[in-house]
Amino acid sequence: MKKSLICAAVALTCSPAMAGDVQLFGFFDQGISFLSENLAQTMGGPVGGNQAFVDPVTGKVGMQGRKNNISQGTGNVSTWGIRLTEELDDDLSVGVHLESGFLADSGELYNKNIFFERESTIAINSKQFGQLKLGRMPAMMTGSGTTGIFNSRVNPFGAGWGNMTGGWKFVGTLATARFNNMINYRSPSFNGVTLHAQTSFGDTNSALDAEEGSSKVNHYNALGVTVQGDRYFLAAGVDYLKMGSKTGKVTDDSMKALIGGHYDFGSFKAYATVQYMDNIEYIGGYSTKEYAPLAKEGDQTKGFDAWAVSLGADTKVWGGTAKFSVGYAQGENQNLDDDKDFSRLNVGVGYLYPLSKRTSVYGIGGYFWEDADFNEDEIYASEVIVGLMHRF
């Protein structure tokens, strides 16, 4: 696409002094969703849950009762963005990445308070020394954007489609998917091996008069490595969230470790992940997102301890791609002395058919189940989405 057309589309002023490459990019995803849920209180799609408290009499979290919903739905959050790149010399370049999510059925921003919620970064790239990126960006342990190292390379559904289909986050967690004030380093590739590191100075907390970089705000740190071969990919990472003071108390610091990858057998591609979580504030995502219930209001959360595994595969069928994923997790709620164990299961299937290089139709289905000692009843939910996705 010509630079003049791109500039017109994003209402930028072009001039001869404007050097480098400018790209408008994104995708539009929209369809019809059929959702059935039997969830605990505070849970539910599409935005996920809030903090829950066990009943002082029963010692359990109450249920919402079964709900059915048919609506315009989406397998993925639609996005649009701008990339700018300028070559400084044979080794160095500068890049800017601005990306915003939006809800296709209403046109609203995915996050109403942040315009470039998906990513807002500037990077210095060196062929010799690697890339240094600064700004708001996805956490390394996610499957998102330019700095998440897992994504669809470790699961056929990436971090998941819809409210509960595939991915590893529905049995495990992404926790906070993005952070502000982040620094990300990616090394050059050495025989397919690339090193990754991240740190965040945290967000300003005006309620506590806490400035960025102070001990009262959360600080995120992560280290990872990826290995890319002709027929395989492997990623491993660990992150650590140093919790700041929110209400005069300090929560336990949280940690995650994740390893995953795929191998291409030719006729099909196999995927797997293993995840360990320590002091995680919540587990799952969207409909399956559940905060560790507290014994009583005012308590400070200690979160979940848990482990999770997922397996998946995709293969070419009738000109399209068939996908399958299953995940299982076990853990305990550290906020409770009794009735604290849980297990959860997620199954996802899907089929993606390309109408062109940029446009695809798809159908996906997911099933989720959880048995937790701290809930009154078993949780289960199912979803089917049929949709159309266009990338540009």
Side-chain angles (χ1 to χ4, degrees), residues 27-357:
F27 66 87
F28 194 99
D29 185 350
Q30 186 64 348
I32 302 295
S33 171
F34 306 84
L35 182 63
S36 177
E37 300 175 316
N38 184 58
L39 305 175
Q41 292 175 3
T42 75
M43 293 179 67
V47 295
N50 297 306
Q51 191 68 61
F53 306 95
V54 300
D55 185 278
V57 176
T58 65
K60 307 281 186 177
V61 176
M63 302 295 293
Q64 298 180 29
R66 184 164 185 146
K67 298 187 298 183
N68 298 306
N69 184 47
I70 301 176
S71 64
Q72 288 194 48
T74 174
N76 302 276
V77 175
S78 297
T79 68
W80 74 276
I82 307 167
R83 295 190 191 100
L84 301 94
T85 305
E86 182 180 16
E87 302 291 337
L88 301 180
D89 56 35
D90 291 340
D91 180 62
L92 293 175
S93 66
V94 173
V96 172
H97 187 108
L98 302 172
E99 187 173 352
S100 179
F102 64 94
L103 304 178
D105 59 342
S106 65
E108 297 176 90
L109 291 176
Y110 180 68
N111 187 320
K112 297 180 181 179
N113 299 319
I114 306 174
F115 190 77
F116 289 115
E117 178 266 341
R118 315 304 282 179
E119 184 168 334
S120 174
T121 60
I122 187 167
I124 300 175
N125 305 291
S126 168
K127 299 174 184 176
Q128 183 177 1
F129 297 106
Q131 180 193 75
L132 186 67
K133 179 173 283 196
L134 300 93
R136 175 181 173 83
M137 67 191 77
M140 182 191 302
M141 300 291 283
T142 73
S144 306
T146 63
T147 51
I149 65 174
F150 294 95
N151 210 331
S152 57
R153 293 174 292 183
V154 302
N155 188 282
F157 294 99
W161 284 28
N163 282 282
M164 65 192 69
T165 304
W168 66 87
K169 76 179 179 185
F170 300 111
V171 291
T173 188
L174 299 180
T176 302
R178 291 167 177 82
F179 288 92
N180 296 336
N181 306 308
M182 188 92 85
I183 298 175
N184 183 87
Y185 173 72
R186 185 181 69 212
S187 77
S189 179
F190 303 98
N191 296 320
V193 178
T194 306
L195 304 178
H196 307 259
Q198 273 186 339
T199 188
S200 170
F201 292 107
D203 294 326
T204 299
N205 190 327
S206 57
L208 293 174
D209 193 26
E211 295 297 326
E212 170 193 341
S214 74
S215 62
K216 292 184 178 182
V217 297
N218 297 344
H219 296 268
Y220 177 81
N221 301 279
L223 293 172
V225 59
T226 56
V227 183
Q228 180 70 65
D230 292 337
R231 303 184 68 175
Y232 66 89
F233 173 83
L234 182 66
V238 59
D239 68 5
Y240 177 77
L241 183 60
K242 177 67 176 176
M243 304 299 290
S245 174
K246 294 182 178 179
T247 57
K249 301 177 183 179
V250 178
T251 60
D252 290 343
D253 300 334
S254 63
M255 185 273 288
K256 301 191 302 293
L258 177 63
I259 183 170
H262 73 255
Y263 189 88
D264 190 347
F265 289 92
S267 59
F268 72 98
K269 187 181 293 184
Y271 304 79
T273 67
V274 178
Q275 184 175 177
Y276 172 74
M277 297 152 277
D278 183 41
N279 303 327
I280 298 298
E281 186 177 13
Y282 62 82
I283 196 167
Y286 299 106
S287 283
T288 74
K289 184 176 181 180
E290 184 173 31
Y291 285 82
L294 298 171
K296 59 181 184 296
E297 192 168 355
D299 284 354
Q300 192 71 41
T301 184
K302 298 179 181 179
F304 291 112
D305 275 358
W307 60 267
V309 296
S310 73
L311 299 173
D314 62 28
T315 186
K316 298 296 181 182
V317 179
W318 301 321
T321 303
K323 301 172 179 286
F324 171 78
S325 176
V326 59
Y328 178 79
Q330 283 189 348
E332 65 177 34
N333 176 9
Q334 299 181 98
N335 297 320
L336 306 176
D337 295 326
D338 301 305
D339 295 332
K340 57 185 179 179
D341 295 332
F342 75 89
S343 57
R344 51 173 48 198
L345 174 74
N346 172 245
V347 179
V349 295
Y351 183 72
L352 182 71
Y353 185 83
L355 301 177
S356 70
K357 291 183 178 180

